[in-house]
């Protein structure tokens, strides 16, 4: 690039006025109990912990902490419901309840989106256009399977496994609850679900929806708390299946804990996905895909495209385009409809991300960030990229779970396949090229559960999702997502 | 012909990006500022077989008196007419900053000899046009004769001289796909276009957001290669303010704030101006006024 050519400027003229989504239509209680057997109950621990808005550190609500007795109550309610009405109900009737939940999510989509954004810090654009619609879509999709299981698995006589214990993360709270609950109910199981402690609110709103849908008591139980509550569910004797989405570290602990038990499991764990740009790719759209791949939801995405591989011949152009696009992103109030980058989910996670930013610089990589004012309160990290990175850098090896991209170059397709697979993770990958044969060559050799071609971070309930290697096992979504909840 | 290799375009990716751009929410001061900016970028246009001296004169008056009841409004950027009306327009606008643009080169089809096209261009230039809007030879483009398309643009650019700015109309509605839009943009820019323009307004679809995004990316790549800024003019089919603001968001987020100026961005439209006026007044007074209060010339 000619040095005399000034970089383009994307702000300083016609900057947009704030356009915040209103919050006056939502209803949040001061305090939430545990949703057990169709009712909100006070926790037997008598403990409550606060839920805060990570964008301004303001208090939102108090959340109950479930202890051993509460977990026992939830599991026994689920067992009773499984032995009772739920397994005796016709499949068609079961489907009606799930359709009803889906419709209620749609009806309350605006409220759910605002609460998701308040509680988790993600931009309203994403909670409104991605999280909530996908959550509803999962219930709709799996509701349709309910009375067709015998056709899905001909001559195999599918039967529900029983009570499912489900532990979900804080990055897509409502959507993950839907991914877990919808297939479990469609296959005739009952559920004890625990949302992450920083983002319990939409799961509790979902509990209210489940009440409104008049689902038989105990079919879905939602109990809140931190790691100890999750461990209590995992280790409970009367649970038949564990579904976990979260970090690889916790996934390993769970697998050790349930070893030797009769529990089935699905694990959807960490990732360090390779996003690969070939020289013949549609570069502007590839850059957009890379931006969407790593900065979507502040990079709090297990399948985030956090390692970018660019063919050397287009490296300079791609880097310049990436930097320009980063400068046109808007960071700020997550409730603002124009916000692209919201708040980091928690103080703790911001600490982890900042630790990696420091490591990257100490390792000698070059850091580039969006230049923008950072709000004084709350937890924030501007979109960041590192150049001058190799496979040996910590920032290219470990999952950061933040808006941090590590860029490397490659020369040949074989080289990039080797590097892309050179990781203990294997959840997802992306490839950008105009040549179809290259896509098929690469995708067939990629050790990753999902490979996107000329797009990234596209989710659909009909499509199975899950990992290779230490990114987990089992699939969620699609026909594949039914099997972990069935015995044959 | 192998000399023209353009970057590939992915339609799905372009549509995703456009979708995101259209979700920007422009409120309050930014909305008013955007509306005024858009009004200042309009090329008021009449390109009809039934154009007359009186019609052109009336439009030129309108261009200078958009809505006199509301002081402080910007003017439009230019009026756009056929070559035989250039003198009328130049005369009518001689005391204003408004430019006169003329279509030329056997507009709208472009089917004629180079000599005729150059004569057509010179007629507009000699009559005092500040800007010439030419059409490319789409037939030759589809035949793969990109050299012909390039040479023709270069010849018309020469006929324009150094002070008249050349807008090159790609007629994207006839190009078939976005890869062709990108290729035609690159050819026009390489041949010396000061502006690239989507459409004649005679073919549907005329300007669209995806097509404009592809053209803006071509302008951006050229800027980073040469440091030279090229203007952009979507034309046809942009009739309301909301859509105009979406175009401006696209310009801002693709090319940056330098292009947010009528020297670098124009709307080819005739009915857009009144909708912008109506919205500007609404932003200022809080109430919509009847369309009957806005003159139609």
């Amino acid at each position: 690039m000619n040095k005399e050519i000034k970089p383009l400027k994307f702000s300083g003229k016609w900057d947009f006025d704030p356009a915040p989504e209103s919050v006056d239509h939502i209803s949040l209680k001061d305090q939430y109990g545990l949703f057990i057997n169709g009712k909100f109950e006070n926790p037997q621990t008598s403990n409550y912990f606060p839920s805060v808005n990570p964008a301004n550190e303001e208090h939102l609500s108090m959340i109950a902490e479930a202890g051993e007795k509460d977990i026992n109550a939830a599991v026994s309610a689920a067992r009773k419901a499984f032995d009772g009405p739920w397994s005796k109900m016709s499949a068609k009737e079961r489907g009606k309840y799930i359709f009803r939940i889906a419709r209620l999510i749609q009806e309350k989509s605006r409220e759910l989106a605002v609460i998701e954004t308040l509680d988790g810090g993600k931009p309203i654009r994403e909670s409104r256009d991605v999280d909530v619609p996908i959550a509803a879509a999962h219930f709709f999709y799996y509701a349709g399977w309910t009375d067709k299981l015998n056709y899905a698995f001909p001559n195999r006589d599918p039967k529900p496994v029983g009570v499912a214990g489900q532990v979900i993360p804080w990055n897509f709270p409502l959507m993950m609850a839907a991914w877990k609950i919808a297939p479990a109910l469609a296959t005739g199981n009952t559920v004890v679900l625990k949302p992450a402690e920083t983002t319990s609110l939409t799961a509790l709103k979902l509990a209210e929806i489940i009440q409104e849908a008049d689902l038989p008591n105990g079919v879905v139980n939602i109990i809140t708390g931190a790691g100890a509550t999750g461990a209590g569910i995992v280790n409970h004797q009367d649970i038949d299946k564990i579904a976990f989405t979260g970090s690889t570290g916790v996934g390993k602990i769970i697998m050790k804990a349930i070893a030797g038990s009769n529990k089935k499991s699905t694990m959807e764990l960490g990732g360090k996905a390779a996003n690969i740009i070939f020289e013949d790719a549609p570069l502007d759209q590839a850059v957009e895909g890379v931006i969407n791949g790593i900065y979507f939801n502040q990079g709090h995405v297990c399948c985030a495209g956090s390692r970018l591989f660019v063919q050397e011949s287009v490296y300079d152009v791609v880097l310049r385009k990436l930097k320009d696009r980063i400068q046109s992103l808007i960071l700020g109030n997550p409730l603002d409809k124009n916000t692209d980058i919201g708040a980091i989910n928690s103080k703790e996670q911001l600490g982890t991300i900042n630790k990696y930013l420091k490591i990257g610089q100490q390792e000698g990589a070059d850091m580039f960030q969006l230049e923008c004012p950072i709000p004084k309160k709350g937890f924030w990290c501007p979109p960041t990229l590192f150049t001058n990175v190799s496979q040996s850098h910590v920032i290219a090896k470990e999952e950061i779970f933040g808006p941090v991209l590590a860029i490397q170059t490659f020369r040949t397709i074989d080289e990039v396949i080797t590097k892309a697979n050179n990781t203990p993770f294997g959840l997802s990958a992306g490839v950008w090229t105009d040549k179809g044969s290259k896509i098929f060559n690469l995708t067939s050799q990629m050790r990753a559960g999902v490979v996107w071609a000329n797009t990234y971070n596209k989710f659909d309930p009909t499509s199975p999702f899950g990992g290779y290697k230490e990114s987990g096992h089992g699939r969620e979504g699609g026909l594949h997502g039914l099997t972990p909840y069935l015995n044959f | 012909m192998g000399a023209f290799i353009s970057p590939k375009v992915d339609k799905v990716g372009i549509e995703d990006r456009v979708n995101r751009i259209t979700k920007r929410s422009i409120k309050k001061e930014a909305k008013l500022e955007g509306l005024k900016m858009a009004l200042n970028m309009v090329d008021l246009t009449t390109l009809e077989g039934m154009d007359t001296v009186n019609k052109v004169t009336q439009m030129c008056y309108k261009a200078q008196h958009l809505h006199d009841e509301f002081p402080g409004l910007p003017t439009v950027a230019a009026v756009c007419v056929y070559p035989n009306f250039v003198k009328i327009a130049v005369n009518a606008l001689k005391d204003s900053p408004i430019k006169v643009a003329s279509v030329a080169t056997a507009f709208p089809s472009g089917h004629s000899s180079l000599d005729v096209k150059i004569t057509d261009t010179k007629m507009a230039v000699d009559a005092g046009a500040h800007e010439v809007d030419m059409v490319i030879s789409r037939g030759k483009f589809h035949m793969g004769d990109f050299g012909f398309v390039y040479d023709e643009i270069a010849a018309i650019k020469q006929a324009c001289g150094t002070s008249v700015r050349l807008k090159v109309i790609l007629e994207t509605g006839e190009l078939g796909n976005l890869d062709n839009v990108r290729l035609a943009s690159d050819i026009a820019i390489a041949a010396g276009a000061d502006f690239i323009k989507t459409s004649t307004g005679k073919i549907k679809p005329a300007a669209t957001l995806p097509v404009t995004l592809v053209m803006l990316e071509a302008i951006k790549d050229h800027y980073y290669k040469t440091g030279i800024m090229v203007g952009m003019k979507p034309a046809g089919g942009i009739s309301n303010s909301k859509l105009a603001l979406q175009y401006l968001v696209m310009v801002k987020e693709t090319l940056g704030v330098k292009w947010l100026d009528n020297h670098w961005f124009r709307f080819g439209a005739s009915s857009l101006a009144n909708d912008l006026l109506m919205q500007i007044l609404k932003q200022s007074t809080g109430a919509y006024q009847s369309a009957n209060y806005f003159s139609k010339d």
Side-chain angles (χ1 to χ4, degrees):
Chain A
M1 196 173 83
N2 189 331
K3 284 218 171 69
E4 290 157 30
I5 297 170
K6 284 193 196 143
L8 297 171
K9 277 186 64 188
F10 297 92
S11 60
K13 182 178 180 183
W14 199 42
D15 294 322
F16 306 143
D17 282 292
E21 174 72 44
S22 95
V23 295
D24 53 17
H25 57 89
I26 65 165
S27 90
L28 271 184
K29 292 185 212 157
D30 295 339
Q31 180 174 303
Y32 281 92
L34 306 168
F35 185 65
I36 296 172
N37 205 26
K39 285 176 280 299
F40 282 94
E41 306 277 7
N42 294 325
Q44 295 186 36
T45 60
S46 302
N47 291 340
Y48 288 86
F49 58 92
S51 196
V52 299
N53 179 343
N56 56 21
E57 297 172 62
E58 278 172 19
H59 175 85
L60 292 169
S61 183
M62 293 301 285
I63 312 291
E65 184 190 345
E68 200 185 329
K69 284 179 182 165
D70 302 303
I71 297 168
N72 284 338
V75 174
S76 88
R79 176 62 61 193
K80 234 176 101 192
F82 178 73
D83 292 338
W86 197 240
S87 60
K88 297 195 170 61
M89 189 182 289
S90 78
K92 202 172 76 185
E93 281 302 306
R94 210 165 66 224
K96 280 187 194 169
Y97 285 103
I98 307 172
F99 275 122
R100 203 179 289 164
I101 294 170
R103 285 196 301 272
L104 285 167
I105 290 174
Q106 286 189 321
E107 271 173 36
K108 296 173 197 293
S109 58
R110 190 152 163 248
E111 183 188 17
L112 289 168
V114 169
I115 294 174
E116 198 73 303
T117 284
L118 284 172
D119 202 22
K122 63 174 64 201
I124 187 76
R125 182 180 62 81
E126 293 177 8
S127 48
R128 179 195 65 202
D129 297 347
V130 182
D131 292 63
V132 177
I134 290 183
H138 265 263
F139 279 104
F140 274 118
Y141 174 75
Y142 279 109
W145 273 124
T146 312
D147 57 357
K148 301 171 191 73
L149 296 174
N150 286 319
Y151 303 94
F153 306 101
N155 303 318
R156 293 185 65 197
D157 193 19
K159 290 270 188 292
V161 296
V163 176
Q166 307 178 321
V167 179
I168 60 172
W170 44 260
N171 55 345
F172 295 97
L174 180 69
M175 192 171 118
M176 285 296 120
W179 281 34
K180 295 282 181 283
I181 294 174
L185 297 188
T187 44
N189 299 275
T190 58
V191 165
V192 176
L193 175 121
K194 186 195 88 68
E197 67 269 28
T198 60
T199 55
S200 307
L201 288 177
T202 47
L204 294 162
K205 292 302 283 187
L206 182 61
E208 291 177 355
I209 286 173
I210 284 165
Q211 262 182 335
E212 200 180 329
D214 216 14
L215 202 70
N217 291 344
V219 172
V220 173
N221 304 274
I222 296 177
I223 58 174
T224 44
T229 309
I233 293 174
V234 166
N235 292 315
H236 199 285
Q237 296 298 319
D238 200 28
I239 280 181
D240 303 298
K241 178 204 152 58
I242 299 296
F244 173 73
T245 297
S247 71
T248 294
V250 174
K252 286 180 181 178
I253 295 169
I254 294 176
M255 288 311 291
K256 278 178 194 152
I258 64 174
S261 78
N262 198 27
K263 287 171 187 153
K264 287 171 77 117
S265 69
T266 43
M267 297 282 140
E268 202 266 89
L269 308 174
K272 192 75 184 176
N275 211 348
I276 301 165
I277 300 183
F278 287 98
E279 60 187 359
D280 60 355
L283 293 184
D284 289 304
Q285 290 79 65
V287 164
E288 193 60 26
V290 170
I291 294 282
N292 178 36
I294 183 62
Y295 302 128
F296 174 60
N297 199 26
Q298 295 73 247
H300 304 326
V301 186
C302 41
C303 54
S306 49
R307 288 184 301 153
L308 174 63
F309 292 94
V310 186
Q311 197 154 15
E312 280 197 28
S313 56
V314 292
Y315 173 71
D316 289 344
V317 176
V318 167
L319 185 61
R320 187 248 297 154
K321 285 177 186 287
L322 265 175
K323 287 179 173 178
D324 269 353
R325 184 69 181 101
I326 286 174
Q327 295 299 3
S328 67
L329 294 171
I330 299 173
L331 175 145
N333 180 6
L335 279 172
D336 194 305
K337 290 169 213 158
N338 290 326
T339 291
D340 297 307
I341 309 289
I344 299 301
N345 188 270
S346 65
K347 193 174 184 176
E348 190 191 357
Q349 185 58 25
L350 180 60
T352 304
I353 295 167
N354 284 337
K355 180 191 85 186
Y356 279 109
L357 295 187
K358 202 174 275 176
I359 290 173
Q361 293 172 86
Q362 282 164 356
E363 286 178 312
D366 298 320
M367 188 168 87
F368 174 89
Q369 289 185 315
L370 166 64
E371 292 160 24
C372 68
I374 302 289
K376 291 208 169 54
K377 283 199 139 182
F379 317 123
W380 303 91
C381 176
T384 304
L385 64 80
F386 278 104
T387 54
N388 205 5
V389 176
S390 71
Q391 287 286 89
S392 310
H393 281 72
V394 171
I395 52 169
K397 286 195 281 197
E398 295 180 12
E399 183 178 43
I400 299 172
F401 223 61
V404 184
L405 180 67
I407 308 180
Q408 301 181 61
T409 59
F410 69 95
R411 296 153 300 172
T412 66
I413 186 165
D414 293 335
E415 178 188 3
V416 77
I417 289 169
T418 303
K419 283 181 171 174
N421 284 334
N422 179 18
T423 166
F425 297 109
L427 190 57
S428 60
V431 51
W432 301 83
T433 167
D434 201 44
K435 197 165 182 175
S437 58
K438 212 182 277 176
I439 293 174
F440 288 114
N441 179 6
L442 189 130
T443 50
S444 64
Q445 296 186 65
M446 205 55 76
R447 310 301 293 162
V450 184
V451 185
W452 285 290
N454 292 333
T455 189
Y456 206 91
N457 271 347
K458 284 273 184 287
F459 304 98
D460 191 290
T462 63
S463 172
F465 184 89
Y468 279 57
K469 299 190 271 188
E470 290 183 27
S471 289
H473 60 259
R475 294 291 177 266
E476 293 179 308
L479 186 63
H480 305 66
L482 294 166
T483 38
Y485 290 97
L486 290 169
N487 284 325
F488 298 102
Chain B
M1 272 172 244
F4 295 103
I5 298 170
S6 276
K8 292 294 171 193
V9 180
D10 185 76
K11 184 166 170 274
V12 175
I14 287 283
E15 283 165 358
D16 276 359
R17 180 75 187 105
V18 166
N19 184 33
R20 190 154 166 184
I21 284 165
T22 59
K23 291 209 168 130
R24 287 289 189 218
S25 178
I26 313 299
K27 302 278 184 214
K28 298 174 191 168
E29 279 306 304
K31 183 168 182 186
L32 187 58
E33 191 188 343
L35 293 167
K36 286 185 174 174
M37 201 156 55
L39 188 59
N40 191 226
M41 290 167 167
V42 167
D43 284 3
L44 270 189
T45 303
T46 184
L47 297 169
E48 291 172 354
M50 61 174 179
D51 282 348
T52 58
V53 171
N54 282 357
K55 163 69 190 174
V56 171
T57 311
Q58 287 159 4
M59 189 178 74
C60 289
Y61 189 85
K62 160 84 174 180
Q64 300 170 86
H65 303 272
L66 287 170
H67 199 69
D68 287 344
E69 297 85 337
F70 193 81
L73 285 174
T75 64
V76 295
V79 298
C80 184
V81 295
Y82 271 108
N84 47 329
F85 296 108
V86 168
K87 202 163 266 170
I88 310 292
V90 168
N91 231 343
L93 295 168
K94 61 179 184 290
D95 298 323
S96 84
I98 300 167
K99 305 269 192 277
V100 176
S102 171
V103 296
T105 70
F107 180 93
S109 76
H111 284 303
S112 193
S113 69
L114 184 57
D115 284 347
V116 168
K117 292 181 185 183
I118 288 173
T119 308
D120 200 19
T121 305
K122 287 215 165 121
M123 180 181 167
V125 171
D126 292 345
H130 306 101
E131 299 167 0
V132 164
D133 292 25
M134 71 168 289
V135 291
I136 66 164
S137 293
R138 284 88 75 193
K140 292 287 186 187
F141 182 91
H142 281 297
M143 289 162 69
D145 199 349
F146 307 128
F148 182 95
V149 177
Y150 176 96
D151 290 343
E152 207 174 53
I153 298 167
I156 302 298
K157 171 70 182 167
Q158 205 174 8
C160 285
T162 47
S163 58
V164 174
R165 297 178 87 199
L166 176 65
K167 305 199 197 94
V168 178
I169 302 171
L170 310 180
E171 195 65 303
T172 52
E174 289 186 345
L175 294 183
N177 63 44
L178 294 178
D179 283 325
N180 281 346
V181 171
R182 174 67 199 233
L183 176 58
S185 302
D186 288 347
I187 292 171
I189 291 170
D194 297 301
F195 261 87
I196 50 176
K197 176 173 166 184
T198 58
S199 322
T200 60
K202 305 294 179 194
I203 294 285
K204 277 188 178 159
T208 64
L209 287 164
V211 155
T212 302
L213 180 55
V214 172
M215 293 169 72
L216 293 175
E217 300 285 13
I219 291 171
K220 180 172 173 167
D221 285 345
H222 184 70
Y223 171 77
Y224 273 117
K225 263 182 218 144
T226 64
I228 295 168
M229 291 170 74
V230 172
M232 172 71 204
K233 179 176 171 182
I238 307 160
S239 56
N240 70 63
S241 301
K242 189 174 180 182
L243 186 54
L245 290 179
Q246 289 170 348
Y247 274 94
L248 292 184
V249 171
M250 180 180 280
V251 172
K252 187 187 180 208
E253 297 194 356
T254 310
L255 290 173
V257 293
K258 247 173 133 178
W259 264 261
L260 290 177
D261 185 300
N262 73 7
H263 197 70
W264 301 113
F265 192 80
R266 295 282 179 81
F267 290 106
S270 40
S271 55
L272 175 62
N274 271 8
D275 194 64
L276 287 166
L277 286 168
M278 200 184 281
Q279 297 293 337
I280 288 169
L281 262 67
K282 196 260 171 181
Q283 277 306 104
S284 311
T285 65
Y288 279 111
Q289 308 198 6
S290 155
N292 290 333
Y293 286 97
F294 301 94
S295 59
K296 289 174 181 148
D297 277 305

